[in-house]
Every structure is written in structure tokens, then in C-alpha cells.
Amino acid sequence: MNTKSLYQEVILDHNRKPRNYGTLNEASHHAVGHNPLCGDRLDVALNLENDHIDDIAFQGESCAICKASASMMTTAVKGKPLTDVETLIQEFREMAIGKLDLESPHHLGRLTVFSGIRDLPTRVKCAILPWHTLHAALNSVTTTSTEARNDPVHATAGKA
Ligand code: ZN
């Protein structure tokens, strides 16, 4: 299977059966993210225990790319320590904007199915939004937007 059809298959699969879709009874962290360019709106809730993401869930109204990205994100970060999660957020973001060297060691695993998104500038923010919202939740920012100037991901981008 080539990269493009694998990408389409993954997007379809995660839209048919989004993983960790819904809400949590107990959430220590929570954020709502918006991507005004596409109209994506995402709600990410998680429960942090001893610096591990014990549980995570998402819901919202979004396009297929955003939903698949959110679904894969929740499975990737569930059970992981915060330091690993921060690394994944950073690497995913760099991959999406074409700044990650995929030949070098990284931790993205199956998430590299989104590497082609760098060639679709209008969809990059759709793929990044879930990660962006997760980052906001972990930093106790309750609402965020891909277009916000003071959000943590943009702040990092400015320095890079
Ligand atoms: Zn979108």
C-alpha cells in the first residue's frame, strides 16, 4: 500500500470509528480549540495522574483530517508520561509544517501517516488543532485557537 492510500485508509477508519470519542467523568485538564480557517472545533479532556496521562477523550465538530488526527493523538498519548507527550506534540507539529527530518530518529510511529499534510497548506492546521488543544489543556489554557497570537505552539514557532 502506498503512502497516499494508507493515509486515506487511516483517515476513513478513524472517522468511522473515532477512538476515545466522548467526555471523561473526571478530567484534571480540559481545553476547547478552534481552527477558524476550516471551522474545526474540538474539546479535549484528560486526566493526569502522577505525571502520566491516565485517560483522555475528545469530541467536537470537525473535518475528517482533524477528527482522524485527534483520534490517533488520543491513542498515542494515553498512558504516556508528560515528557513523552510534550515531545510528541513538538514532533507532530514540526512534521505537519515540513520541518521534521523523518529520516532522523523520532517518536511518531504510525502518526507519520500525516507527513503528507505538509503539502496541503490549508489542511495543516486541521491536523495540528488536536495537538494544539492538548498542549493548551496541559498548560491550563482553557480556550485556544490556531489563529491566537499568544498560544504556546505559536510562541514556540516564532523562535524556531
Ligand atoms: Zn479542518
Side-chain angles (χ1 to χ4, degrees):
M1 202 184 274
N2 66 35
T3 313
K4 200 173 178 197
S5 56
L6 175 67
Y7 170 74
Q8 286 163 345
E9 188 51 46
V10 167
I11 302 274
L12 280 175
D13 177 48
H14 282 269
N15 274 276
R16 271 194 303 255
K17 297 174 289 176
R19 323 298 199 263
N20 305 301
Y21 192 85
T23 51
L24 295 180
N25 290 330
E26 244 179 274
S28 61
H29 295 69
H30 165 261
V32 177
H34 292 271
N35 171 19
L37 296 186
C38 173
D40 304 314
R41 186 192 170 280
L42 217 61
D43 199 309
V44 173
L46 63 101
N47 199 33
L48 209 60
E49 231 168 73
N50 303 322
D51 284 342
H52 280 68
I53 293 189
D54 180 59
D55 206 358
I56 181 165
F58 80 99
Q59 59 183 2
E61 295 290 327
S62 69
C63 67
I65 290 174
C66 184
K67 194 171 187 180
S69 177
S71 176
M72 287 188 77
M73 177 187 80
T74 58
T75 60
V77 303
K78 202 167 175 175
K80 290 241 165 69
L82 271 186
T83 47
D84 291 6
V85 173
E86 289 292 345
T87 302
L88 279 176
I89 292 171
Q90 196 60 28
E91 288 184 349
F92 188 92
R93 195 191 146 278
E94 285 176 7
M95 174 181 71
I97 61 173
K99 279 193 174 169
L100 186 73
D101 177 8
L102 289 166
E103 304 298 314
S104 301
H106 59 77
H107 310 83
L108 292 171
R110 285 169 48 89
L111 292 164
T112 54
V113 75
F114 283 98
S115 61
I117 206 84
R118 61 174 180 249
D119 299 322
L120 304 167
T122 57
R123 313 316 297 272
V124 166
K125 284 174 179 171
C126 300
I128 286 181
L129 181 65
W131 297 86
H132 187 84
T133 310
L134 171 63
H135 195 261
L138 290 172
N139 287 277
S140 302
V141 179
T142 49
T143 55
T144 185
S145 164
T146 53
E147 303 309 300
R149 300 185 76 165
N150 60 345
D151 75 76
V153 177
H154 273 244
T156 317
K159 276 180 272 169

